[in-house]
Amino acid sequence: MAHRKNDRSAIWPLACIYSQRFNAGKVDREATLQEFLKSVTETIGTQNVTEMHKCSAKAAKLRNVGNRHFLDRKFQDALACYNESICFADPNSDQLAMGYANRSAVYYEQDEYEFALLNIDLAKKNNYPEKLMPKLLARELNCKQRIAGGRSKNATPRTRMSVNVDTNPRIPFLADGIGMNYEPKFGRGLIAEKDFNPGDIILEEKSELCGVDFNLSYRNCNHCSSRFNYSLIPCPTCPFMMYCCQECLEQNWNLFHRFECSVVTKLYSVSSLSSMMHPRLFFYGLTQFDEDLRAMMKYCEKEINGKFNPLDLDYTNSNRLELFKAYHNTQPAADPENDHFFKILACGYYVVYLKNPAVNSIIRTEPQRRFFLRSLLQYIRIGFSMASYCIDAQGRAIGTLTPIDSLINHSCDPHAATFICSGTIKVVLLRPVRRGEQIFTSYGPVWWEEEPSNKTPFTCRCVYCDRGPAGRRWRALIDRDFPVGAVDDLQKLHDIALRMDFNNTAKLNALKQFIKKHARHYPERNFGTVLDSYRMLLVAMNRTDVEALERARAWAEDN
């Protein structure tokens, strides 16, 4: 299948091609890895995917599309187009500078003066045309005057959404009193070693292993997944990847992107989803072994310790090699329904990565190539089994893989809510957790939704989904009557929610008090409604804090 040059929409991902073939019975799902490799190699050979490159002419066209969105006041669409234009623009070209300047105009209209100033500075540093400079400088002066006049939006950082209980001395981003257990039903999991309350933030873990959906590549940082209000900078070489700062760009290049950059369009042809995170685990390990593939093979070909406990590591002085070993020693959950897709992805990535001289010069011999293929399959299995995903309304996903968060199992009856913000995973308890309980979060539906918004891509084993006697007894509790006192308190909560003189913090505290007071009546349908309100308010407050932190960061970078 031929594809048009510089047109990403014409690429039909390998995963979609094989999905059709599996459904039509043209490919045996039970084929061996080597049989899949032969088929995938032939398919990629017929795709004829051409690598996309920087192109200022394309950048100009994209910028003009962004201008039309700007005139229609469709500011988010305008920013996405300007970002794609910035990514395609040649380094140090006027198109690059004009993309930044156009972005500053959007921020000015949105009263985001800190971001406007940051982008004006980027335009000036990238050869902005002198004949257009007076208009840019006038915008810069207006921004400064409005900030000085107090017309800026909130740029005061808060730390409300940080761990708010005693922390583990060896893991400063994890609450003290959290351990790991192992159960045949769920595998590894996090367990409470003491009682916890609703509102306790028990985890705030940064991730260096992110996978951003290719359809979000002009909206989110390719390293930490931060949106940074769309104010991203491009990879200087390829037209796909963007970053929220120079530090993320450099770290991503050193750890992963140098192995991807020259074949990134072909990698998109393997899978358009955030599965890029999975092969990145291989290169994360390779860089920690100083690109000594023999040393990596010697370690990785030992028997995997499936019950390895990442909580045993000392994260006050951790290094990336130890983190890689923690990832590697994860025993993924068996997923026979999807393993044929995992093999297709592994073979696709294998074929494409070896087209990059930076990879081919390291992985040279046949044993090394067999190790590479086996590792890709293993890390794809680990990633799909252990990663956390944030999926938007359009189905676009951001995935993250971290040693601690990966221990939290899914349940449609969760104790906690998980937030992925700017490369940091935060876990907040929605309801009390008693000593000895395993702590669950939800990676999909929750029982209190009348129409679950999405389904899990795996077989859920939680109590709500249990079709046996225990599950039936638990579900029967949902429709029991709420006590009179609880109903009265529920009405008070409703009244508080409508009061304009109560800020979000006061409303959050009222919800927490209700949940703690009436926890003995859980599960119950009204209680589920309260939990949903609590979760949604946490989402809103966290977003407000992130926006304030991003404005402060934009202001700091410009000064």
Side-chain angles (χ1 to χ4, degrees), residues 271-348:
S271 175
S272 63
L273 303 177
S274 54
S275 55
M276 278 286 294
M277 171 178 58
H278 309 141
R280 280 183 169 185
L281 181 51
F282 177 87
F283 295 105
Y284 187 85
L286 182 64
T287 55
Q288 303 323 303
F289 282 97
D290 296 324
E291 298 181 24
D292 186 341
L293 188 58
R294 290 183 179 179
M296 183 179 178
M297 291 173 67
K298 183 178 180 180
Y299 175 81
C300 292
E301 290 182 337
K302 299 175 185 175
E303 184 178 355
I304 289 176
N305 177 9
K307 295 184 180 179
F308 176 83
N309 187 352
L311 273 62
D312 290 338
L313 297 177
D314 185 352
Y315 292 84
T316 61
N317 191 29
S318 62
N319 62 68
R320 289 183 174 131
L321 180 57
E322 292 303 313
L323 290 178
F324 168 74
K325 291 177 179 179
Y327 293 127
H328 176 77
N329 280 291
T330 298
Q331 185 66 51
D335 191 355
E337 294 182 6
N338 292 303
D339 206 57
H340 55 291
F341 273 116
F342 299 162
K343 290 176 182 176
I344 291 296
L345 289 178
C347 293

XYZ file of all heavy atoms in Angstrom, residues 271-348:
640
model
N 1.706 1.301 15.179
C 0.532 1.499 16.016
C 0.389 2.979 16.306
O 1.352 3.635 16.694
C 0.660 0.734 17.335
O -0.417 1.025 18.188
N -0.813 3.500 16.140
C -1.038 4.926 16.382
C -1.295 5.206 17.860
O -1.498 6.339 18.244
C -2.243 5.415 15.567
O -3.420 4.747 15.979
N -1.298 4.180 18.680
C -1.626 4.358 20.086
C -0.376 4.632 20.908
O 0.741 4.707 20.400
C -2.366 3.124 20.605
C -3.652 2.777 19.848
C -4.249 1.503 20.404
C -4.649 3.915 19.960
N -0.578 4.748 22.223
C 0.536 5.085 23.111
C 1.385 3.870 23.437
O 2.109 3.865 24.428
C -0.010 5.700 24.404
O -0.970 4.840 24.989
N 1.340 2.835 22.583
C 2.145 1.641 22.826
C 3.633 1.886 22.608
O 4.453 1.002 22.864
C 1.674 0.488 21.929
O 1.677 0.866 20.569
N 4.017 3.059 22.126
C 5.434 3.408 22.016
C 6.138 3.313 23.356
O 7.351 3.138 23.424
C 5.576 4.827 21.475
C 5.465 4.938 19.967
S 6.931 4.337 19.140
C 8.105 5.551 19.704
N 5.394 3.453 24.442
C 5.976 3.347 25.776
C 6.628 1.982 25.990
O 7.640 1.872 26.691
C 4.875 3.564 26.811
C 5.239 3.277 28.247
S 3.858 3.629 29.331
C 2.578 2.564 28.663
N 6.093 0.948 25.365
C 6.547 -0.414 25.651
C 7.934 -0.709 25.081
O 8.801 -1.173 25.822
C 5.502 -1.411 25.156
C 4.121 -1.084 25.643
N 2.997 -1.219 24.857
C 3.680 -0.581 26.820
C 1.933 -0.844 25.541
N 2.319 -0.440 26.728
N 8.198 -0.435 23.795
C 9.580 -0.635 23.331
C 10.555 0.340 23.970
O 11.755 0.046 24.058
C 9.483 -0.422 21.814
C 8.241 0.368 21.601
C 7.300 -0.086 22.675
N 10.058 1.478 24.431
C 10.957 2.415 25.106
C 11.569 1.801 26.358
O 12.668 2.195 26.762
C 10.204 3.697 25.475
C 10.040 4.655 24.322
C 9.357 5.932 24.727
N 9.448 6.933 23.664
C 9.021 8.177 23.779
N 8.435 8.576 24.897
N 9.148 9.025 22.773
N 10.886 0.852 26.970
C 11.447 0.210 28.148
C 12.741 -0.514 27.801
O 13.684 -0.537 28.601
C 10.420 -0.764 28.751
C 10.824 -1.511 30.023
C 11.339 -0.558 31.089
C 9.636 -2.305 30.562
N 12.820 -1.088 26.598
C 14.069 -1.738 26.173
C 15.197 -0.716 26.100
O 16.300 -0.950 26.624
C 13.884 -2.407 24.814
C 15.150 -3.023 24.288
C 15.512 -4.313 24.628
C 16.002 -2.296 23.457
C 16.702 -4.884 24.159
C 17.187 -2.849 22.979
C 17.534 -4.143 23.335
N 14.942 0.423 25.455
C 16.005 1.413 25.282
C 16.322 2.126 26.598
O 17.457 2.570 26.806
C 15.614 2.396 24.185
C 15.507 1.734 22.844
C 14.268 1.474 22.269
C 16.641 1.319 22.178
C 14.165 0.843 21.052
C 16.558 0.675 20.948
C 15.313 0.432 20.384
N 15.350 2.224 27.478
C 15.603 2.739 28.824
C 16.650 1.853 29.506
O 17.607 2.346 30.115
C 14.296 2.739 29.613
C 14.354 3.391 30.972
C 14.190 4.760 31.109
C 14.534 2.640 32.137
C 14.216 5.368 32.358
C 14.561 3.238 33.381
C 14.404 4.598 33.487
O 14.425 5.192 34.727
N 16.479 0.536 29.390
C 17.451 -0.380 29.965
C 18.787 -0.311 29.264
O 19.849 -0.291 29.901
N 18.761 -0.262 27.929
C 20.008 -0.234 27.169
C 20.870 0.961 27.547
O 22.097 0.837 27.718
C 19.682 -0.204 25.676
C 20.867 -0.228 24.719
C 21.646 -1.528 24.839
C 20.386 -0.019 23.274
N 20.254 2.132 27.710
C 21.034 3.316 28.078
C 21.596 3.196 29.490
O 22.677 3.735 29.774
C 20.173 4.591 27.969
O 18.984 4.446 28.766
C 19.769 4.854 26.531
N 20.893 2.494 30.378
C 21.409 2.341 31.745
C 22.554 1.337 31.816
O 23.344 1.355 32.759
C 20.279 1.930 32.698
C 19.103 2.890 32.732
C 19.523 4.342 32.627
O 20.314 4.839 33.432
N 18.995 5.039 31.613
N 22.643 0.461 30.823
C 23.800 -0.425 30.705
C 24.868 0.202 29.806
O 25.745 -0.503 29.295
C 23.383 -1.787 30.145
C 22.738 -2.695 31.161
C 21.354 -2.780 31.263
C 23.515 -3.452 32.029
C 20.755 -3.613 32.199
C 22.922 -4.291 32.973
C 21.548 -4.376 33.058
N 24.796 1.532 29.622
C 25.760 2.281 28.806
C 25.876 1.701 27.399
O 26.975 1.651 26.826
C 27.130 2.325 29.488
C 27.101 3.068 30.806
O 26.367 4.064 30.902
O 27.775 2.622 31.756
N 24.742 1.252 26.862
C 24.655 0.681 25.518
C 25.530 -0.564 25.361
O 25.879 -0.950 24.230
C 24.988 1.722 24.459
C 24.019 2.890 24.456
C 24.309 3.925 23.398
O 24.944 3.583 22.375
O 23.901 5.090 23.580
N 25.866 -1.204 26.488
C 26.588 -2.482 26.462
C 25.543 -3.587 26.387
O 25.027 -4.059 27.407
C 27.443 -2.614 27.719
C 28.329 -3.862 27.694
O 28.026 -4.788 26.906
O 29.296 -3.929 28.479
N 25.220 -4.002 25.174
C 24.141 -4.972 24.984
C 24.484 -6.313 25.615
O 23.597 -7.011 26.125
C 23.854 -5.133 23.496
C 22.630 -5.979 23.137
C 21.357 -5.416 23.773
C 22.465 -6.082 21.624
N 25.735 -6.685 25.600
C 26.122 -7.968 26.213
C 25.825 -7.966 27.709
O 25.326 -8.951 28.257
C 27.604 -8.246 25.959
C 27.935 -8.575 24.515
C 29.417 -8.910 24.361
N 29.747 -9.248 22.987
C 30.969 -9.568 22.580
N 31.978 -9.577 23.464
N 31.191 -9.861 21.309
N 26.143 -6.855 28.373
C 25.877 -6.761 29.817
C 24.372 -6.796 30.083
O 23.909 -7.441 31.037
C 26.490 -5.486 30.377
N 23.607 -6.123 29.228
C 22.150 -6.135 29.390
C 21.610 -7.548 29.193
O 20.744 -8.008 29.963
C 21.516 -5.172 28.391
C 20.004 -5.045 28.519
S 19.330 -3.858 27.324
C 17.572 -3.990 27.669
N 22.101 -8.246 28.179
C 21.650 -9.617 27.922
C 22.007 -10.532 29.091
O 21.200 -11.377 29.497
C 22.271 -10.141 26.632
C 21.755 -9.457 25.377
S 22.654 -9.937 23.872
C 22.184 -11.665 23.731
N 23.181 -10.352 29.642
C 23.613 -11.202 30.755
C 22.673 -11.061 31.945
O 22.332 -12.046 32.613
C 25.042 -10.836 31.159
C 25.616 -11.724 32.260
C 27.059 -11.338 32.563
C 27.628 -12.230 33.668
N 29.045 -11.880 33.988
N 22.237 -9.805 32.212
C 21.310 -9.600 33.327
C 19.905 -10.084 32.982
O 19.270 -10.801 33.765
C 21.252 -8.122 33.725
C 20.215 -7.874 34.794
C 20.492 -8.136 36.123
C 18.927 -7.442 34.464
C 19.533 -7.963 37.111
C 17.963 -7.256 35.439
C 18.270 -7.519 36.756
O 17.310 -7.375 37.723
N 19.418 -9.715 31.809
C 18.007 -9.940 31.478
C 17.687 -11.396 31.182
O 16.520 -11.812 31.294
C 17.607 -9.083 30.283
S 17.578 -7.320 30.649
N 18.678 -12.180 30.797
C 18.388 -13.562 30.455
C 18.365 -14.480 31.672
O 18.168 -15.685 31.541
C 19.371 -14.055 29.401
C 19.122 -13.384 28.038
C 20.032 -13.863 26.938
O 21.136 -14.367 27.262
O 19.665 -13.720 25.758
N 18.554 -13.898 32.867
C 18.321 -14.662 34.088
C 16.822 -14.871 34.242
O 15.997 -14.172 33.648
C 18.846 -13.901 35.314
C 20.328 -13.606 35.305
C 20.678 -12.749 36.517
C 22.124 -12.313 36.498
N 22.423 -11.387 37.623
N 16.440 -15.823 35.100
C 15.024 -16.055 35.357
C 14.425 -14.844 36.057
O 14.998 -14.294 37.001
C 14.836 -17.298 36.235
C 13.379 -17.647 36.472
C 13.214 -18.915 37.297
O 14.237 -19.560 37.599
O 12.068 -19.245 37.628
N 13.261 -14.408 35.573
C 12.605 -13.235 36.143
C 12.062 -13.572 37.520
O 11.437 -14.611 37.737
C 11.471 -12.754 35.221
C 12.072 -12.141 33.951
C 10.579 -11.734 35.920
C 11.035 -11.729 32.929
N 12.324 -12.674 38.464
C 11.780 -12.812 39.816
C 10.410 -12.152 39.838
O 10.278 -10.957 40.072
C 12.721 -12.158 40.828
C 12.171 -12.209 42.246
O 11.164 -12.882 42.515
N 12.830 -11.526 43.157
N 9.375 -12.930 39.547
C 8.035 -12.388 39.394
C 7.484 -11.738 40.640
O 6.553 -10.931 40.559
N 8.013 -12.081 41.824
C 7.509 -11.492 43.063
C 8.450 -10.416 43.599
O 8.407 -10.058 44.764
C 7.289 -12.590 44.105
C 6.200 -13.580 43.693
C 5.923 -14.618 44.773
C 4.836 -15.594 44.328
N 4.548 -16.627 45.346
N 9.317 -9.916 42.723
C 10.216 -8.825 43.101
C 9.402 -7.660 43.649
O 8.390 -7.269 43.081
C 11.015 -8.395 41.873
C 11.919 -7.219 42.110
C 13.170 -7.388 42.659
C 11.510 -5.939 41.779
C 14.004 -6.298 42.869
C 12.330 -4.851 41.978
C 13.581 -5.033 42.524
N 9.856 -7.107 44.762
C 9.119 -6.035 45.432
C 9.820 -4.700 45.202
O 10.868 -4.442 45.793
C 9.005 -6.324 46.931
C 8.102 -5.326 47.642
O 7.670 -4.334 47.057
N 7.812 -5.588 48.901
N 9.262 -3.830 44.343
C 9.908 -2.528 44.108
C 9.908 -1.634 45.338
O 10.634 -0.637 45.371
C 9.071 -1.921 42.976
C 7.781 -2.637 43.007
C 8.056 -4.009 43.526
N 9.106 -1.951 46.366
C 9.111 -1.165 47.598
C 10.369 -1.419 48.417
O 10.633 -0.700 49.381
C 7.872 -1.459 48.441
C 6.618 -0.632 48.130
C 6.138 -0.858 46.712
C 5.502 -0.947 49.116
N 11.152 -2.427 48.039
C 12.408 -2.700 48.750
C 13.532 -1.759 48.329
O 14.565 -1.687 48.991
C 12.851 -4.148 48.509
C 11.948 -5.163 49.196
O 11.263 -4.778 50.167
O 11.930 -6.332 48.768
N 13.346 -1.046 47.204
C 14.379 -0.126 46.732
C 14.395 1.136 47.583
O 13.378 1.536 48.152
C 14.142 0.248 45.273
C 14.207 -0.883 44.248
C 13.875 -0.345 42.864
C 15.591 -1.527 44.238
N 15.560 1.776 47.644
C 15.699 3.052 48.338
C 15.605 4.172 47.300
O 16.542 4.426 46.552
C 17.045 3.116 49.072
C 17.188 4.380 49.918
O 16.321 5.268 49.814
O 18.176 4.476 50.663
N 14.459 4.844 47.258
C 14.226 5.869 46.241
C 14.778 7.223 46.648
O 14.696 8.178 45.870
C 12.728 5.980 45.946
C 12.170 4.746 45.264
C 11.787 3.638 46.007
C 12.043 4.687 43.881
C 11.276 2.496 45.390
C 11.541 3.563 43.252
C 11.159 2.462 44.014
O 10.666 1.335 43.401
N 15.335 7.338 47.838
C 15.985 8.587 48.214
C 17.309 8.743 47.473
O 17.836 9.847 47.354
C 16.243 8.645 49.731
O 17.113 7.571 50.106
C 14.942 8.540 50.505
N 17.841 7.618 46.999
C 19.106 7.660 46.264
C 19.048 6.663 45.120
O 19.976 5.892 44.898
C 20.268 7.330 47.206
C 21.622 7.608 46.580
O 21.751 8.485 45.723
N 22.629 6.847 46.976
N 17.917 6.660 44.407
C 17.708 5.651 43.373
C 18.449 6.029 42.099
O 18.787 7.187 41.870
C 16.219 5.496 43.077
O 15.687 6.702 42.580
N 18.708 5.025 41.282
C 19.280 5.280 39.969
C 18.456 4.536 38.925
O 17.704 3.613 39.222
C 20.757 4.871 39.906
C 20.943 3.380 40.157
O 20.539 2.548 39.347
N 21.558 3.029 41.281
N 18.597 4.956 37.690
C 17.742 4.432 36.633
C 17.989 2.950 36.364
O 17.084 2.239 35.952
C 17.943 5.247 35.361
C 17.360 6.650 35.443
C 17.533 7.386 34.133
N 16.866 8.675 34.156
C 17.441 9.813 33.790
N 18.701 9.826 33.389
N 16.763 10.940 33.827
N 19.204 2.480 36.603
C 19.470 1.061 36.381
C 18.645 0.204 37.332
O 18.068 -0.818 36.931
C 20.961 0.760 36.553
C 21.367 -0.708 36.355
C 20.954 -1.202 34.967
C 22.872 -0.877 36.565
N 18.569 0.615 38.596
C 17.767 -0.138 39.562
C 16.281 -0.062 39.202
O 15.543 -1.039 39.389
C 17.997 0.401 40.981
C 19.398 0.144 41.513
C 19.743 -1.344 41.503
O 18.907 -2.150 41.958
O 20.833 -1.691 41.018
N 15.848 1.096 38.693
C 14.453 1.207 38.271
C 14.169 0.285 37.089
O 13.119 -0.374 37.037
C 14.122 2.653 37.896
C 14.078 3.655 39.052
C 13.777 5.051 38.524
C 13.042 3.264 40.088
N 15.110 0.225 36.148
C 14.910 -0.686 35.024
C 14.798 -2.123 35.516
O 13.944 -2.888 35.037
C 16.060 -0.573 34.016
C 16.041 -1.684 33.004
C 15.093 -1.693 31.988
C 16.943 -2.735 33.081
C 15.049 -2.732 31.061
C 16.906 -3.782 32.165
C 15.958 -3.768 31.152
N 15.636 -2.505 36.450
C 15.570 -3.873 36.972
C 14.227 -4.141 37.647
O 13.701 -5.261 37.575
C 16.732 -4.109 37.948
C 18.096 -4.137 37.263
C 19.229 -4.306 38.272
C 20.579 -4.353 37.567
N 21.711 -4.491 38.534
N 13.685 -3.106 38.298
C 12.361 -3.259 38.910
C 11.300 -3.503 37.836
O 10.430 -4.370 37.992
C 12.006 -2.015 39.719
N 11.379 -2.747 36.731
C 10.450 -2.986 35.630
C 10.633 -4.389 35.043
O 9.672 -5.125 34.821
C 10.670 -1.967 34.505
C 10.322 -0.541 34.834
C 11.243 0.485 34.634
C 9.068 -0.201 35.312
C 10.932 1.807 34.910
C 8.738 1.117 35.597
C 9.683 2.115 35.390
O 9.362 3.416 35.674
N 11.894 -4.729 34.782
C 12.196 -6.004 34.117
C 11.710 -7.198 34.943
O 11.262 -8.202 34.378
C 13.704 -6.120 33.864
C 14.108 -7.433 33.268
N 13.907 -7.725 31.939
C 14.663 -8.531 33.836
C 14.340 -8.952 31.703
N 14.802 -9.461 32.828
N 11.780 -7.087 36.251
C 11.409 -8.199 37.117
C 9.911 -8.229 37.432
O 9.498 -8.834 38.415
C 12.216 -8.153 38.420
C 13.607 -8.712 38.244
O 13.779 -9.905 38.040
N 14.610 -7.853 38.285
N 9.139 -7.584 36.584
C 7.685 -7.636 36.706
C 7.172 -8.824 35.904
O 7.512 -8.973 34.726
C 7.054 -6.341 36.169
O 7.520 -5.241 36.950
C 5.531 -6.413 36.256
N 6.377 -9.651 36.525
C 5.749 -10.767 35.815
C 4.383 -10.307 35.325
O 3.468 -10.105 36.118
C 5.594 -11.973 36.745
C 5.067 -13.225 36.052
C 6.049 -13.777 35.031
O 7.220 -13.980 35.336
N 5.580 -14.010 33.823
N 4.211 -10.106 34.017
C 2.930 -9.590 33.535
C 1.813 -10.615 33.694
O 2.052 -11.827 33.677
C 3.205 -9.303 32.057
C 4.314 -10.241 31.693
C 5.167 -10.364 32.927
N 0.615 -10.104 33.851
C -0.549 -10.987 33.911
C -0.760 -11.642 32.551
O -0.552 -11.022 31.507
C -1.788 -10.190 34.309
N -1.136 -12.911 32.564
C -1.404 -13.617 31.313
C -2.603 -12.981 30.612
O -3.605 -12.644 31.245
C -1.669 -15.091 31.593
N -2.482 -12.783 29.303
C -3.561 -12.168 28.533
C -3.689 -12.904 27.198
O -3.360 -12.368 26.131
C -3.269 -10.685 28.308
C -4.469 -9.923 27.758
O -5.491 -10.568 27.463
O -4.377 -8.696 27.621
N -4.160 -14.153 27.230
C -4.205 -14.953 25.998
C -5.098 -14.360 24.915
O -4.884 -14.601 23.724
C -4.743 -16.311 26.486
C -5.426 -16.023 27.784
C -4.675 -14.896 28.394
N -6.100 -13.543 25.310
C -7.003 -12.963 24.316
C -6.319 -11.927 23.438
O -6.757 -11.670 22.318
C -8.207 -12.329 25.016
C -9.116 -13.332 25.720
C -10.311 -12.653 26.362
O -10.481 -11.430 26.151
O -11.059 -13.330 27.081
N -5.239 -11.314 23.943
C -4.580 -10.235 23.205
C -3.127 -10.548 22.845
O -2.464 -9.717 22.220
C -4.614 -8.940 24.020
C -6.017 -8.379 24.156
O -6.681 -8.109 23.162
N -6.482 -8.227 25.378
N -2.640 -11.736 23.199
C -1.214 -11.992 23.007
C -0.819 -12.007 21.538
O 0.320 -11.678 21.204
C -0.815 -13.314 23.676
C 0.655 -13.337 24.060
O 1.078 -12.437 24.823
O 1.385 -14.219 23.577
N -1.744 -12.377 20.644
C -1.408 -12.347 19.219
C -1.161 -10.907 18.758
O -0.279 -10.660 17.926
C -2.509 -13.003 18.386
C -3.873 -12.445 18.600
N -4.574 -12.617 19.775
C -4.679 -11.701 17.784
C -5.741 -12.028 19.682
N -5.835 -11.449 18.493
N -1.901 -9.931 19.321
C -1.648 -8.533 18.995
C -0.296 -8.085 19.566
O 0.422 -7.310 18.920
C -2.761 -7.648 19.532
C -3.921 -7.495 18.595
C -5.167 -7.961 18.936
C -3.753 -6.889 17.359
C -6.245 -7.817 18.073
C -4.824 -6.738 16.481
C -6.073 -7.213 16.835
N 0.036 -8.547 20.762
C 1.329 -8.191 21.341
C 2.467 -8.673 20.443
O 3.472 -7.972 20.245
C 1.477 -8.799 22.737
C 0.438 -8.336 23.741
C 0.217 -9.053 24.909
C -0.309 -7.193 23.517
C -0.729 -8.632 25.834
C -1.260 -6.763 24.432
C -1.469 -7.492 25.589
N 2.308 -9.864 19.881
C 3.349 -10.399 18.993
C 3.455 -9.579 17.714
O 4.562 -9.325 17.220
C 3.046 -11.860 18.673
C 3.229 -12.797 19.864
C 2.817 -14.221 19.530
C 2.970 -15.126 20.750
N 2.474 -16.511 20.485
N 2.306 -9.146 17.189
C 2.333 -8.296 15.985
C 3.062 -6.991 16.274
O 3.910 -6.533 15.498
C 0.896 -8.016 15.497
C 0.256 -9.288 14.943
C 0.885 -6.904 14.446
C 0.938 -9.838 13.714
N 2.741 -6.353 17.408
C 3.412 -5.097 17.769
C 4.907 -5.313 17.948
O 5.719 -4.517 17.463
C 2.812 -4.536 19.059
C 1.399 -3.962 18.985
C 0.945 -3.501 20.361
C 1.332 -2.800 18.002
N 5.292 -6.394 18.648
C 6.715 -6.671 18.876
C 7.442 -6.836 17.542
O 8.527 -6.270 17.338
C 6.875 -7.912 19.745
N 6.852 -7.588 16.629
C 7.488 -7.801 15.326
C 7.552 -6.505 14.530
O 8.563 -6.222 13.860
C 6.729 -8.871 14.550
S 6.826 -10.532 15.270
N 6.480 -5.719 14.579
C 6.477 -4.448 13.862
C 7.551 -3.500 14.363
O 8.302 -2.909 13.572
